[in-house]
């Protein structure tokens, strides 16, 4: 998750220290007092810092209706059209890999939906475009014994899962674009998952693998106490209907 106006900086350096993060937290408070212009400036520089923040404090910096920045590793390799690959494997009849250009050539679906973090912040009316996950599953030929889908990230740590029924919804995308252009590295690009009716942790960043499985395999955040079925709900001021 990253800012609306991020660049694509190198985040492979050493983890950011607590003192730096606390200084930025103070700057965030000043941004609230200074208004939208200051908050936009803060959002533009926090991506590479948040993705190297082992403290988790960057998520506390108030930057208005902008994405916060999270990574579960100290650094994430960059992928682009020259070296990106998405593998669809598991309980399918025709496993295959897709290049970025092959995904771009497939029929694209566009949604305009909020992005809601389980910690409470929300970015309203984000424009998302990409390939329906259901289309990739259909192309692979899901076998009868399949019940779920597991997702892996090329950061080497982040994983997620959906039931097969959830994965086939028409608001679950393998996203190639968001906001006003391609998904940037800090947003989880060049390809990420977007699960519209669920909290942001279900929308795995830096997507590299889609594995059809016989059962739900709890992902990284579920293993750390988050709900396996991460429907957005009234606890954060929403009444989204997860069955709609």
């Amino acid at each position: 998750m990253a800012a609306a106006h991020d660049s694509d900086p190198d985040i492979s350096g050493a983890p950011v220290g607590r003192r730096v993060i606390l200084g930025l937290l103070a700057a965030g408070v000043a941004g609230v007092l200074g208004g939208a212009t200051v908050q936009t400036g803060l959002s533009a520089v926090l991506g590479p810092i948040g993705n190297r923040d082992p403290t988790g404090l960057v998520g506390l910096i108030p930057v208005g209706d902008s994405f916060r920045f999270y990574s579960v590793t100290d650094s994430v390799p960059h992928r682009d059209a020259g070296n990106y690959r998405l593998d669809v494997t598991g309980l399918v009849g025709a496993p295959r890999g897709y290049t970025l250009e092959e995904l771009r050539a497939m029929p694209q679906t566009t949604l305009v939906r909020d992005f809601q973090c389980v910690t409470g912040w929300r970015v309203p009316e984000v424009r998302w475009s990409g390939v329906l996950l259901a289309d990739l599953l259909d192309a692979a030929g899901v076998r009868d014994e399949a019940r779920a889908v597991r997702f892996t990230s090329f950061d080497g740590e982040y994983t997620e899962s959906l039931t097969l029924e959830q994965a086939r919804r028409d608001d679950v995308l393998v996203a190639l674009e968001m906001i006003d252009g391609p998904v940037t590295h800090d947003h989880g690009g060049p390809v990420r998952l977007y699960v519209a009716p669920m909290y942001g942790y279900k929308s795995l960043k830096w997507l590299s693998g889609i594995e059809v499985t016989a059962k739900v395999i709890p992902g990284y955040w579920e293993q750390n106490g988050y709900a396996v079925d991460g429907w957005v709900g009234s606890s954060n001021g929403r009444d989204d209907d997860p069955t709609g």
Side-chain angles (χ1 to χ4, degrees):
M1 293 168 275
H5 302 288
D6 53 25
S7 59
D8 199 13
D10 181 4
I11 63 169
S12 59
V16 177
R18 181 179 295 269
R19 185 174 300 176
V20 172
I21 300 300
L22 290 175
L24 286 167
L25 182 58
V29 173
V32 171
L33 298 176
T37 299
V38 176
Q39 290 179 344
T40 298
L42 284 169
S43 295
V45 301
L46 288 177
I49 295 172
N51 282 332
R52 291 189 286 114
D53 170 29
T55 70
L57 290 172
V58 163
L60 300 177
I61 297 174
V63 288
D65 287 337
S66 298
F67 283 85
R68 281 30 168 197
F69 310 90
Y70 304 95
S71 172
V72 302
T73 61
D74 290 341
S75 64
V76 182
H78 286 242
R79 296 285 185 268
D80 56 28
N83 61 5
Y84 179 77
R85 180 182 174 93
L86 175 61
D87 291 316
V88 182
T89 62
L91 299 176
V92 296
R96 66 161 294 179
Y98 292 88
T99 66
L100 186 56
E101 291 307 316
E102 287 172 333
L103 290 171
R104 288 171 175 165
M106 295 182 70
Q108 305 290 298
T109 295
T110 297
L111 304 172
V112 178
R113 296 287 296 273
D114 294 358
F115 188 93
Q116 174 76 60
C117 183
V118 73
T119 60
W121 59 266
R122 180 191 315 160
V123 184
E125 297 184 348
V126 180
R127 182 182 181 275
W128 304 84
S129 293
V131 180
L132 283 172
L133 176 57
D135 287 349
L136 292 174
L137 296 175
D138 289 344
V142 175
R143 288 161 46 179
D144 290 344
E145 63 267 36
R147 296 294 182 270
V149 185
R150 181 175 184 260
F151 308 94
T152 53
S153 168
F154 59 78
D155 72 357
E157 294 290 338
Y158 193 1
T159 62
E160 261 307 332
S161 286
L162 296 171
T163 68
L164 193 57
E165 180 181 6
Q166 293 164 354
R168 289 192 178 280
R169 288 176 59 102
D170 61 6
D171 53 3
V172 177
L173 297 180
V174 171
L176 309 178
E177 296 187 358
M178 60 181 293
I179 305 173
D180 56 2
V183 179
T184 66
H185 179 79
D186 287 332
H187 275 296
V191 179
R192 68 172 296 162
L193 191 65
Y194 176 55
V195 185
M198 293 189 177
Y199 290 117
Y201 67 89
K202 301 295 291 187
S203 294
L204 178 136
K205 296 168 69 174
W206 306 297
L207 178 64
S208 63
I210 297 172
E211 178 189 6
V212 180
T213 59
K215 63 179 182 180
V216 169
I217 301 172
Y220 177 91
W221 289 110
E222 287 81 16
Q223 294 173 27
N224 286 276
Y226 283 58
V228 173
D229 291 322
W231 302 113
V232 173
S234 59
S235 63
N236 277 329
R238 304 302 299 270
D239 58 358
D240 301 61
D241 178 7
T243 63

